[in-house]
Structure formats: C-alpha cells, structure tokens
Amino acid sequence: MNVNESAENYLETILILSKSHPVVRSVDIAEELGYKKSSVSVAMKNLREKEHITVSREGFITLTQSGRAIAEMIYERHELLSAWLIRLGVDAKTAVEDACRIEHVISPESFEAIKNHVKEH
C-alpha cells in the first residue's frame, strides 16, 4: 500500500465525497480540493493505473478494494488525530490542518499507540 501523500489525499477525498454524492466525478474532486481539472485528471489516471480506482465511461469514479483500504486508513487517522488535538486544546482549524499533515507521515505503530491512548482516556 505504498502511495504518496497526494494520492492518499485524492483517495480520502473520493471516500468523503462518496458519502455525500450519488456519484463522484473529477469535477467534484477539483471543486472540493480547489485544484484545476487538468491536475485532477492526471491524478485520476495515475490512481487508475495503480488500480486504486475505476472510472466508468460516464466518468464516475469508484474506489477499488485497495483504494478504499488506503482511503479509510487515512480518513480514520484524520478523524482521530483532529479530535485528539482539539481535546488537547488546539484550535479546531489548526488541529484539522495539523492532522492532515500528520496522517501521512505517522507510522502505523505510533498511530496505534495514540489510538489506544485516546480510547483509554
């Protein structure tokens, strides 16, 4: 599951959009992230080649099993780290921004330790 931070962000965004949109298209991702459609198209091509997404003829984007696993892992990290930082007294905006950076670089071991600590308290 070795993917870069950009790919992880795209996969997480697809997961989040799929919860609120009947279908996810490149234009939806571009709007959500504030990126150019051309940049999103290149990223979607890369994710499709790595078999993390499928794209229908209509342009509807769906996560594959591997893509969903990565997206859910990043989303769980984001949610837990954001909430934890807020509970520690960090301003919500800062907590979300910091969680977004941390979620991509934290080791599975460290994340599990934080997750277990948060559950205990």
Side-chain angles (χ1 to χ4, degrees), residues 6-91:
S6 174
E8 290 175 348
N9 277 334
Y10 278 111
L11 293 169
E12 181 185 24
T13 300
I14 294 166
L15 176 68
I16 291 166
L17 289 172
S18 70
K19 295 173 187 267
S20 62
H21 291 59
V23 294
V24 177
R25 302 163 302 153
S26 288
V27 66
D28 302 319
I29 298 165
E31 270 180 31
E32 181 72 17
L33 296 173
Y35 294 168
K36 293 179 183 172
K37 291 178 199 159
S38 57
S39 300
V40 173
S41 291
V42 169
M44 293 306 103
K45 180 178 184 279
N46 290 335
L47 291 174
R48 194 174 58 244
E49 288 173 356
K50 292 179 180 168
E51 299 182 352
H52 293 313
I53 63 168
T54 58
V55 182
S56 71
R57 275 189 278 148
E58 299 86 1
F60 303 155
I61 299 166
T62 307
L63 294 168
T64 62
Q65 189 173 354
S66 67
R68 178 167 294 279
I70 294 165
E72 288 176 348
M73 174 193 69
I74 295 299
Y75 185 69
E76 177 191 26
R77 288 178 174 192
H78 182 83
E79 291 293 296
L80 186 130
L81 292 168
S82 296
W84 181 55
L85 291 169
I86 290 167
R87 285 203 337 242
L88 291 174
V90 177
D91 168 75

